[in-house]
Amino acid sequence: LTLPHGQDGRGTEYSFYKVINHTGTKSLFSAIISPSEECSTPLSLNLDDLEEFVLKPAPQGSTIQCRITRDRKGMDKGIFPFYYLHLEMENGKKRFIMSGRKRKKSKTSNYLISLDPIDLSRDGDNYIGKVRSNVLGTKFTVFDNGMNPDKKPFVPETAQLRQELVAICYETNVLGFRGPRKMTVIIPGVDADNERICIRPKNEHETLLTRYQNRNMQNLIKLQNKMPAWNEETQSYVLNFRGRVTQASVKNFQIISEDDPNYIMLQFGRVAPDVFTMDYRFPLCAVQAFAICLSSFDGKIACE
């Protein structure tokens, strides 16, 4: 439930929404809306090779600002909407980067990611990766467009096995899914040249999720969502999105490192009913960031 916007004595605007906690009592949550302090997407980005750009970690010292638009119009788009990612440039223009859509005939939640706004086929030339969930819809793995090792012996010797780019785990907390979610994100680390270390599991024992569960974190980075802070003045939980988020939603989140909680690696939030901002920083790449956001839309965990 969204309540009218209010302002405190310092002119900071708050956006509130109510949730029901496990005791059945009502609590207020809010997103701080203050002037943006982040620099926008630099014009110097090289977008000539789009596939290379979306898989390459963001330049250090820059925040790549993007916008996700959800298209729910049409016969089946209400259930299987399209998601379009655009880059927000310094000159005010927007550049299409990727699209995503949930597969219709899949036993688990499965999102295809494409460099084309229309062709989202698994066999298409623009297929760049996918997001796959477990049966419960609480754990997600993100792959690039390499070959699945399970297809052996039909995988050619020259074929490159797929990389695992991200693993995302959603957990309930004391408020359940209708409160702030708890997200744990596992990504490959980077080498001395700031390039992502390739993780190409040949079996289930080598996957990101299994390594994390076995506490084998070599060459891996653990991230988590920043939990909202309680604001006594407004009697609500708040997150500061620095002007990039204007509507309250339980989908809104910020991803941080355990080592540096002030370094926001990814933030995502609503600005209109079907429009969301997505800002990411090093060492994340565009595919990783977009895939994490797609997982947050999934029906089993997404509560408006």
Side-chain angles (χ1 to χ4, degrees), residues 14-34:
Y14 293 89
S15 175
F16 302 96
Y17 61 92
K18 287 184 179 180
V19 298
I20 307 298
N21 67 15
H22 69 297
T23 63
T25 58
K26 292 182 179 180
S27 302
L28 278 175
F29 288 77
S30 68
I32 297 179
I33 303 165
S34 63

Side-chain angles (χ1 to χ4, degrees), residues 79-83 99-104 106 108-114 120 122 127 129-133 140-143 290-291 293-302:
I79 304 174
F80 300 100
F82 279 93
Y83 299 94
S99 61
R101 195 184 196 192
K102 193 173 183 178
R103 296 182 73 178
K104 300 176 185 178
S106 183
T108 62
S109 294
N110 201 317
Y111 295 81
L112 292 184
I113 302 175
S114 172
L120 279 93
R122 176 67 174 80
Y127 169 69
K130 75 171 184 177
V131 185
R132 186 188 69 192
S133 81
F140 295 78
T141 302
V142 181
F143 305 95
F290 187 42
C293 295
L294 285 178
S295 76
S296 76
F297 284 110
D298 200 63
K300 292 183 181 179
I301 58 167

Side-chain angles (χ1 to χ4, degrees), residues 66-133:
C66 305
R67 184 158 293 214
I68 297 175
T69 306
R70 177 172 56 188
D71 181 3
R72 295 194 283 191
K73 299 174 184 177
M75 287 293 289
D76 61 354
K77 289 183 182 177
I79 304 174
F80 300 100
F82 279 93
Y83 299 94
Y84 302 106
L85 180 70
H86 287 80
L87 204 61
E88 296 182 356
M89 307 304 292
E90 275 183 332
N91 56 10
K93 294 183 178 181
K94 294 179 177 61
R95 162 101 184 240
F96 170 80
I97 299 296
M98 285 181 289
S99 61
R101 195 184 196 192
K102 193 173 183 178
R103 296 182 73 178
K104 300 176 185 178
K105 297 179 181 179
S106 183
K107 294 179 181 179
T108 62
S109 294
N110 201 317
Y111 295 81
L112 292 184
I113 302 175
S114 172
L115 298 177
D116 190 276
I118 300 172
D119 179 16
L120 279 93
S121 62
R122 176 67 174 80
D123 301 319
D125 293 335
N126 294 292
Y127 169 69
I128 193 69
K130 75 171 184 177
V131 185
R132 186 188 69 192
S133 81

Side-chain angles (χ1 to χ4, degrees), residues 1 17 32 51 59 66 116 124-125 133 135 147-148 155 182 203 209 215 284 303-304:
L1 175 64
Y17 61 92
I32 297 179
E51 182 171 352
C66 305
D116 190 276
D125 293 335
S133 81
V135 175
M147 295 291 293
N148 183 347
V155 178
K182 184 177 180 182
N203 54 59
L209 283 172
R215 299 183 180 179
L284 289 178
C303 302
E304 297 290 341

Side-chain angles (χ1 to χ4, degrees), residues 63-295:
T63 297
I64 309 298
Q65 296 186 338
C66 305
R67 184 158 293 214
I68 297 175
T69 306
R70 177 172 56 188
D71 181 3
R72 295 194 283 191
K73 299 174 184 177
M75 287 293 289
D76 61 354
K77 289 183 182 177
I79 304 174
F80 300 100
F82 279 93
Y83 299 94
Y84 302 106
L85 180 70
H86 287 80
L87 204 61
E88 296 182 356
M89 307 304 292
E90 275 183 332
N91 56 10
K93 294 183 178 181
K94 294 179 177 61
R95 162 101 184 240
F96 170 80
I97 299 296
M98 285 181 289
S99 61
R101 195 184 196 192
K102 193 173 183 178
R103 296 182 73 178
K104 300 176 185 178
K105 297 179 181 179
S106 183
K107 294 179 181 179
T108 62
S109 294
N110 201 317
Y111 295 81
L112 292 184
I113 302 175
S114 172
L115 298 177
D116 190 276
I118 300 172
D119 179 16
L120 279 93
S121 62
R122 176 67 174 80
D123 301 319
D125 293 335
N126 294 292
Y127 169 69
I128 193 69
K130 75 171 184 177
V131 185
R132 186 188 69 192
S133 81
N134 63 351
V135 175
L136 295 177
T138 55
K139 292 181 171 61
F140 295 78
T141 302
V142 181
F143 305 95
D144 71 357
N145 56 5
M147 295 291 293
N148 183 347
D150 293 339
K151 300 295 184 183
K152 289 183 177 181
F154 304 105
V155 178
E157 289 294 328
T158 55
Q160 198 165 54
L161 295 182
R162 65 189 182 186
Q163 286 189 64
E164 284 195 6
L165 301 176
V166 191
I168 310 139
C169 304
Y170 288 89
E171 302 172 40
T172 55
N173 54 28
V174 292
L175 297 179
F177 278 150
R178 290 194 174 276
R181 304 174 191 167
K182 184 177 180 182
M183 299 167 62
T184 300
V185 178
I186 308 300
I187 62 172
V190 293
D191 60 22
D193 296 321
N194 290 331
E195 296 291 334
R196 182 176 56 254
I197 296 171
C198 288
I199 306 291
R200 302 184 191 273
K202 296 178 182 178
N203 54 59
E204 198 65 31
H205 302 293
E206 299 176 357
T207 66
L208 291 176
L209 283 172
T210 300
R211 292 187 189 196
Y212 169 60
Q213 290 163 358
N214 293 336
R215 299 183 180 179
N216 175 15
M217 297 299 291
Q218 184 178 5
N219 293 328
L220 302 183
I221 300 173
K222 179 183 176 182
L223 309 172
Q224 60 192 33
N225 64 308
K226 188 172 186 176
M227 295 307 292
W230 179 255
N231 186 301
E232 286 290 344
E233 192 171 342
T234 61
Q235 291 293 294
S236 64
Y237 288 100
V238 298
L239 279 173
N240 190 348
F241 288 92
R242 307 191 187 283
R244 293 288 290 162
V245 175
T246 56
Q247 292 192 5
S249 169
V250 291
K251 289 189 181 72
N252 300 349
F253 64 78
Q254 293 176 326
I255 299 295
I256 58 174
S257 164
E258 288 183 312
D259 299 330
D260 186 0
N262 294 318
Y263 184 80
I264 298 173
M265 210 169 290
L266 170 65
Q267 70 174 20
F268 169 80
R270 187 196 298 272
V271 294
D274 288 303
V275 182
F276 306 81
T277 53
M278 183 196 91
D279 302 338
Y280 71 96
R281 302 170 74 182
F282 178 87
L284 289 178
C285 69
V287 171
Q288 289 172 314
F290 187 42
I292 294 169
C293 295
L294 285 178
S295 76

Side-chain angles (χ1 to χ4, degrees), residues 40-77:
S40 58
T41 304
L43 283 170
S44 58
L45 286 177
N46 184 4
L47 302 175
D48 294 337
D49 188 333
L50 198 54
E51 182 171 352
E52 180 184 8
F53 167 74
V54 300
L55 289 169
K56 189 178 181 65
Q60 285 187 290
S62 298
T63 297
I64 309 298
Q65 296 186 338
C66 305
R67 184 158 293 214
I68 297 175
T69 306
R70 177 172 56 188
D71 181 3
R72 295 194 283 191
K73 299 174 184 177
M75 287 293 289
D76 61 354
K77 289 183 182 177

